[in-house]
């Protein structure tokens, strides 16, 4: 998923068909410069809500290497960026549990009231 996303970012900006984009080819082989890489990193940073230093593209100069590094370093951010449903689902489960707890408490109150009512009669 991450590699496909990166290929999409690069191929869109470079106007290259994604199927022609080599993941093992150096960014320099595509004629990109530091300004281009900064733009790509801006997109990456926005998507995964982080601030990656631009020099990382020189340390990991291919899609394949950059993908591996991103997954190692930002796996939880990538999961959130590409699978927000999990966060929503987690929130729904928590809300459901809280609702069940409230319902149990209300039920206990009703039982106590019922017992008190019977005793008073």
């Amino acid at each position: 998923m991450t590699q496909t996303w990166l290929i999409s970012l690069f191929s869109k900006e470079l106007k290259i068909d994604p199927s022609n984009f080599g993941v093992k080819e150096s960014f320099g082989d595509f004629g990109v410069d530091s300004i281009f890489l900064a733009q790509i990193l801006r997109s990456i940073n926005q998507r995964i809500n982080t601030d990656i230093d631009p020099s990382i593209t020189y340390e990991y100069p291919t899609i394949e290497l950059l993908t591996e590094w991103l997954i190692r370093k930002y796996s939880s951010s990538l999961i959130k960026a590409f699978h927000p449903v999990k966060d929503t689902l987690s929130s729904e489960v928590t809300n459901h549990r809280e609702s069940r707890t409230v319902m149990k408490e209300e039920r206990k109150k009703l039982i106590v009231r019922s017992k008190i009512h019977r005793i008073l009669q």
Side-chain angles (χ1 to χ4, degrees), residues 5 9 20 24 26 28 33 43 47 51 54 58-59 64 74 87 96 103:
W5 170 57
L9 282 176
N20 295 331
K24 294 181 187 243
S26 171
D33 59 12
S43 296
R47 181 72 186 250
D51 190 25
Y58 294 101
E59 292 178 51
E64 182 178 59
Y74 295 101
D87 288 340
H96 179 70
M103 289 174 63

Side-chain angles (χ1 to χ4, degrees), residues 1-63:
M1 176 64 124
T2 302
Q3 185 167 297
T4 303
W5 170 57
L6 288 177
I7 291 170
S8 170
L9 282 176
F10 276 83
S11 62
K12 180 181 172 189
E13 292 297 320
L14 291 168
K15 296 173 182 32
I16 296 173
D17 187 307
S19 63
N20 295 331
F21 202 91
V23 296
K24 294 181 187 243
E25 292 182 54
S26 171
F27 299 140
D29 292 345
F30 293 101
V32 302
D33 59 12
S34 59
I35 295 170
F36 176 86
L37 291 171
Q39 291 171 330
I40 292 290
L41 276 178
R42 189 175 315 118
S43 296
I44 293 169
N45 287 333
Q46 287 174 346
R47 181 72 186 250
I48 64 174
N49 196 27
T50 192
D51 190 25
I52 298 169
D53 187 288
S55 67
I56 207 67
T57 57
Y58 294 101
E59 292 178 51
Y60 302 94
T62 67
I63 291 287

Side-chain angles (χ1 to χ4, degrees), residues 93-108:
V93 168
T94 300
N95 290 340
H96 179 70
R97 286 182 182 150
E98 289 172 357
S99 295
R100 287 184 60 189
T101 301
V102 168
M103 289 174 63
K104 284 180 183 178
E105 292 301 318
E106 291 299 317
R107 194 168 134 211
K108 285 179 186 177

